[in-house]
Amino acid sequence: MPILFLAVDGFNLIRRIFEARQPRNARDVESVVDAAKGSLSRILTKFSPSHAAVVFEDRGRTWRHLLSRDYKANRSPTPDLLLNGLHEFVAGFQEIGVTDCKVPSYEADDVIGTIASVVAGLGGRTVIVSTDKVYLQLLSSEITLFDYFNDRLWDRQSMRDHFGVSVDQYVDYLALIGDKSNNLKGVPGIGPKSALQLLSRYSDLESAITSAADDKLANKVQASKEDARRCRQLAQLKTDVELGRTLKSFRLSSSSKD
């Protein structure tokens, strides 16, 4: 039976629910845990996966912070109440049969990208659960992205319809316009419309950088080429993280799928 892996961006799911409920103390966090468990149970019912994991990350620095000290510097700090209660969420997810996963020095995005790549290599499919659109770069016939809070399933066609770029161009698109959620600045003077024009003319970022054409938009990219390349590197997800465990450890029991 082919693998269907449900890869949940754990902190993305939990923080949305946490912020909606605004708990004031540790006892209130219990209700957030119950809500998160309920949400995950509904997602399991919707997709009936054979394997699943809630993927977290260490709250310390990752390889991206070594490339850019400003990476994610614009984000508000995570509430201590949530950080101190994370183990309760992990335990709650384990109660419904879903294990957690994290790899030191890597973000959940990279771990999920690796899982999806491994599963695709084995002929299986992955549904990524997150509102983070950085995962759109992974979309393929074997990988889809599910936005639980808006009940929206992204695939290659819906992404192109929405953004006007192909999956292969999406990281270049982010390198050009930036990514506010991760404090990636992009190229000054280049917004979504001009980024589409550039990618239509040159196909990718590097071709715009090396173009000899008399083009005002390309000139803007060339003037900030090192920043654009660094932004691309930061936006690109890794798919070769050493997970330290096998897919078998993520297999769901039949009771987890009910």
Side-chain angles (χ1 to χ4, degrees):
M1 182 176 178
I3 296 171
L4 174 56
F5 201 113
L6 188 76
V8 181
D9 187 343
F11 206 74
N12 181 275
L13 177 71
I14 288 171
R15 185 150 189 177
R16 282 292 193 99
I17 297 172
F18 183 92
E19 290 175 348
R21 291 184 170 252
Q22 297 185 337
R24 297 182 179 181
N25 51 54
R27 179 169 293 183
D28 290 344
V29 172
E30 294 178 10
S31 68
V32 184
V33 173
D34 288 339
K37 287 171 59 180
S39 295
L40 182 54
S41 293
R42 285 187 287 274
I43 298 169
L44 290 170
T45 299
K46 181 179 180 71
F47 292 103
S48 297
S50 60
H51 299 66
V54 181
V55 183
F56 292 96
E57 58 206 37
D58 288 327
R59 303 312 297 169
R61 294 168 65 82
T62 69
W63 65 271
R64 289 186 175 87
H65 293 96
L66 300 178
L67 288 179
S68 172
R69 74 176 82 181
D70 296 326
Y71 181 66
K72 290 188 176 180
N74 58 333
R75 293 196 178 186
S76 58
T78 304
D80 289 339
L81 191 61
L82 176 54
L83 286 177
N84 295 335
L86 276 180
H87 66 282
E88 297 181 38
F89 288 94
V90 170
F93 295 145
Q94 289 175 344
E95 287 174 4
I96 56 177
V98 181
T99 186
D100 66 303
C101 178
K102 65 179 177 180
V103 178
S105 300
Y106 290 96
E107 294 183 66
D109 309 6
D110 298 312
V111 177
I112 288 175
T114 299
I115 289 172
S117 177
V118 170
V119 171
L122 295 172
R125 295 186 296 119
T126 300
V127 176
I128 300 169
V129 181
S130 181
T131 63
D132 192 341
K133 292 183 176 58
V134 74
Y135 292 110
L136 293 174
Q137 64 187 271
L138 300 173
L139 296 180
S140 68
S141 57
E142 296 86 18
I143 303 170
T144 52
L145 174 64
F146 179 58
D147 179 346
Y148 171 72
F149 295 98
N150 292 299
D151 193 26
R152 179 168 190 173
L153 192 66
W154 291 90
D155 59 17
R156 289 179 296 180
Q157 187 58 52
S158 60
M159 183 207 143
R160 178 179 278 281
D161 291 343
H162 186 84
F163 290 97
V165 295
S166 68
V167 170
D168 291 340
Q169 293 175 315
Y170 188 67
V171 177
D172 290 331
Y173 178 74
L174 292 179
L176 291 167
I177 70 169
D179 181 0
K180 289 182 179 179
S181 67
N182 289 321
N183 203 34
L184 303 183
K185 304 300 184 183
V187 176
I190 301 295
K193 289 184 179 179
S194 49
L196 289 180
Q197 293 176 32
L198 279 162
L199 292 174
S200 176
R201 293 173 194 169
Y202 302 104
S203 181
D204 57 46
L205 174 66
E206 201 59 33
S207 294
I209 289 174
T210 58
S211 171
D214 184 14
D215 184 328
K216 290 182 179 180
L217 290 179
N219 290 341
K220 289 182 180 181
V221 179
Q222 292 160 8
S224 299
K225 61 182 180 181
E226 295 309 321
D227 288 338
R229 284 169 172 156
R230 185 178 299 107
C231 187
R232 190 190 193 288
Q233 187 177 7
L234 291 165
Q236 179 80 54
L237 298 185
K238 290 187 175 296
T239 58
D240 59 354
V241 176
E242 180 58 54
L243 299 176
R245 56 197 295 184
T246 65
L247 286 182
K248 185 177 180 180
S249 66
F250 300 112
R251 183 180 292 278
L252 295 174
S253 66
S254 57
S255 60
S256 302
K257 306 173 192 177
D258 294 338

